[in-house]
Amino acid sequence: MKLPDTILFASDAELLALVGAVLLVLAGFASLMERRRVKRAALHHVGWVPWTGIFLTLAVIGGGLLSVAVPAILTA
């Protein structure tokens, strides 16, 4: 698989920021799924996926990666 040159030659800070942004997008998806689960009409069919825990985990890790990467990107 051939990677695009922008990803292949990206700095570590840019890669961390990219992974952090992807994790925050996935956290937004988990939040959307939790909201959908709460608004379900049949409450006895709620499901088993812990969307709130997934959201919090992804949001904390993604925010941490972005907070580490942004100062390095701004100084470059």
Side-chain angles (χ1 to χ4, degrees), residues 29-50:
F29 175 74
S31 175
L32 178 71
M33 294 305 290
E34 174 66 21
R35 189 171 302 134
R36 182 176 173 228
R37 184 183 70 86
V38 167
K39 291 183 179 182
R40 185 175 303 255
L43 293 178
H44 59 282
H45 292 287
V46 242
W48 58 270
V49 179

Side-chain angles (χ1 to χ4, degrees), residues 3-67:
L3 292 174
D5 288 341
T6 55
I7 294 176
L8 186 63
F9 297 113
S11 68
D12 290 339
E14 290 172 342
L15 292 176
L16 280 178
L18 181 65
V19 171
V22 167
L23 288 177
L24 286 178
V25 167
L26 289 175
F29 175 74
S31 175
L32 178 71
M33 294 305 290
E34 174 66 21
R35 189 171 302 134
R36 182 176 173 228
R37 184 183 70 86
V38 167
K39 291 183 179 182
R40 185 175 303 255
L43 293 178
H44 59 282
H45 292 287
V46 242
W48 58 270
V49 179
W51 291 113
T52 305
I54 292 172
F55 165 75
L56 286 174
T57 302
L58 292 174
V60 167
I61 293 172
L65 288 176
L66 278 177
S67 68

